[in-house]
Amino acid sequence: MTTAPDSKLATLWCPSPNFGARNNGRTVDMLILHYTGMETAEGALDWLTREEARVSAHYLIDEEGRVAQMVAEADRAWHAGLGSWAGETDLNSCSIGIEIHNPGHEFGCPDFPDVQMQAVEALCRDILGRHPIPPERVLGHSDVAPGRKRDPGEKFDWARLARAGIGLWVEPVPLAGDAGLGEGDENESVTALQRDLRDYGYGVEVTSTYGKGVAQVVEAFQRHFRPLRVDGRADRSTRDTLARLFAARRASPMA
Ligand SMILES: [Zn+2]
């Protein structure tokens, strides 16, 4: 039983009973970022460490940048839930989860304070120093559970993390004013879009029809990579940003 945090940045060790062993000896190669979606960090810490909640995360970062650890990195925390990435569905077994305290969409998406983002950067770098996590596998909860989750939200500063060497991110291609593809469309461009999203890692089926599920995946993509407009429509800017991302992934030394 672990009695001390893995990260020296964690000033609080608040063990949660909600964890297990990683299935099939899976090791960590993914980092998933969340927002708590609760009114206070204290409330979130209380909930994540309560048995009845059946949820947890490895870390919680409050709005002052204080880091609490709740589950040992070697163990499987219960933060991702139903989801998928790159064909894999047991994401809790391969990931470390960080809850970043922010009340989220239901409370008007307040900004993430600078002191909190400094702590997010420091903790991510610390974790990346211990585990071989490729840049393109530093993800938001919404990336792995589109339609079901919106966190950490379009206000989260992925660009800042990328400048600090955390995650894969490219400058989004500016909006071009075109309507693009959307729900109900059915053509080869939809097929190509679905293939690209799937090949990047998103859980999408290639059906050639732009259904609600595709719109939700496009929304998730936009929240992370083209946050200026999150509308679930695959306009030129969205598709070209995805193309840029592929180029960056090919050029990434760890990809
Ligand atoms: Zn989440």
Side-chain angles (χ1 to χ4, degrees), residues 13-241:
W13 171 243
C14 308
S16 172
N18 305 322
F19 70 94
R22 294 182 182 276
N23 290 320
N24 306 311
R26 188 74 170 79
T27 54
V28 173
D29 65 0
M30 180 182 279
L31 180 57
I32 300 180
L33 306 186
H34 304 256
Y35 68 42
T36 58
M38 293 178 71
E39 283 186 89
T40 68
E42 296 73 36
L45 188 62
D46 178 59
W47 180 243
L48 293 164
T49 53
R50 236 194 252 192
E51 192 166 5
E52 67 192 85
R54 313 295 292 162
V55 292
S56 63
H58 295 88
Y59 295 97
L60 172 72
I61 301 178
D62 76 6
E63 61 272 46
E64 311 273 342
R66 284 178 296 238
V67 179
Q69 186 167 359
M70 298 165 283
V71 174
E73 289 182 5
D75 290 323
R76 180 180 181 275
W78 302 346
H79 58 97
L82 284 178
S84 81
W85 190 259
E88 208 169 5
T89 53
D90 180 8
L91 302 176
N92 283 333
S93 279
C94 66
S95 66
I96 285 177
I98 303 177
E99 285 282 357
I100 302 160
H101 175 62
N102 183 288
H105 290 87
E106 283 185 31
F107 299 92
C109 281
D111 288 334
F112 293 84
D114 184 64
V115 64
Q116 183 182 41
M117 286 305 294
Q118 285 175 26
V120 172
E121 263 186 44
L123 181 61
C124 287
R125 289 173 73 117
D126 183 56
I127 290 167
L128 294 175
R130 276 190 294 279
H131 304 276
I133 299 172
E136 71 273 16
R137 289 174 68 87
V138 178
L139 296 164
H141 199 187
S142 51
D143 290 312
V144 301
R148 197 173 69 79
K149 292 292 175 182
R150 293 183 288 178
D151 61 311
E154 55 274 25
K155 290 281 280 291
F156 187 71
D157 197 350
W158 292 102
R160 174 183 176 147
L161 290 197
R163 286 194 295 274
I166 301 150
L168 189 62
W169 193 85
V170 293
E171 193 61 43
V173 174
L175 299 176
D178 59 313
L181 303 165
E183 277 192 63
D185 285 338
E186 192 169 356
N187 54 50
E188 281 175 19
S189 300
V190 175
T191 314
L193 170 73
Q194 290 171 327
R195 273 208 188 103
D196 284 349
L197 289 166
R198 183 199 59 189
D199 292 350
Y200 195 73
Y202 286 94
V204 62
E205 274 182 73
V206 179
T207 61
S208 306
T209 304
Y210 204 116
K212 191 174 167 59
V214 181
Q216 289 172 337
V217 169
V218 169
E219 256 192 49
F221 174 82
Q222 291 169 334
R223 274 186 216 294
H224 188 155
F225 298 105
R226 211 283 310 268
L228 192 57
R229 189 193 289 162
V230 179
D231 62 359
R233 291 195 65 88
D235 59 352
R236 185 170 298 279
S237 151
T238 300
R239 285 178 287 162
D240 289 353
T241 302

